[in-house]
Amino acid sequence: MRKTLAALGLVLALTGGAATAVAQEAAPDLRGTWTGTSESIVRGAPMHHGPSQGNAPGLDNVAFTMTISGQDGRRFWGTFSSKLNQEPIIGVVANDGKSFVMRDTDGLTTGTIVDANTMDMVYSHVGKSAVVSALRVTRKK
């Protein structure tokens, strides 16, 4: 009985340690310049998009450049820009090393790191205008 309990304790200790190691894996290096074109639906006159007409939502595609200029562990910062505007961004990579959350001056982005040079993002904000966008960005080499 003691051997069985000892073996069970060892298995639990080893699997618990493995789960902790996975949860603590290092965040990928996101520094660099990333580009992509959004698929957006807007209402009002958001800063990166042309104004929609009346109360009808407008459909828009906008080329964006995201520059991640700094990173410390999971935390990162930089700028997000279009031909019409530029905003500072801050973000953090989740413990899974794949998902992230990012904020600009008026909105929220959630995303997934697909691979070392590709990220999928969904952006939204609401206020005087409203925007919801899907965007895949790739790192410039």
Side-chain angles (χ1 to χ4, degrees):
M1 179 73 170
R2 281 187 175 175
K3 286 184 182 180
T4 304
L5 288 176
L8 179 59
L10 180 61
V11 168
L12 290 173
L14 290 175
T15 57
T20 301
V22 169
Q24 298 296 327
E25 79 181 50
D29 185 357
L30 301 178
R31 290 172 296 176
T33 301
W34 303 75
T35 59
T37 299
S38 72
E39 293 181 68
S40 305
I41 185 165
V42 304
R43 198 176 297 256
M47 68 171 61
H48 293 284
H49 303 269
S52 62
Q53 301 298 316
N55 284 333
L59 305 179
D60 200 9
N61 299 83
V62 174
F64 284 100
T65 298
M66 177 174 68
T67 303
I68 299 180
S69 55
Q71 183 171 349
D72 182 356
R74 299 183 183 292
R75 299 163 294 192
F76 61 92
W77 58 91
T79 58
F80 201 79
S81 59
S82 68
K83 66 180 180 180
L84 296 178
N85 221 316
Q86 179 174 303
E87 298 178 85
I89 55 168
I90 58 172
V92 65
V93 177
N95 286 335
D96 65 7
K98 295 287 182 192
S99 53
F100 64 92
V101 175
M102 185 172 75
R103 294 289 314 218
D104 62 19
T105 57
D106 62 353
L108 176 70
T109 299
T110 58
T112 303
I113 300 164
V114 176
D115 60 39
N117 294 306
T118 311
M119 288 192 270
D120 286 337
M121 302 188 285
V122 174
Y123 172 82
S124 66
H125 90 243
V126 66
K128 292 181 179 180
S129 62
V131 176
V132 180
S133 294
L135 175 64
R136 173 167 273 196
V137 293
T138 55
R139 190 183 333 229
K140 286 182 162 179
K141 295 182 182 185

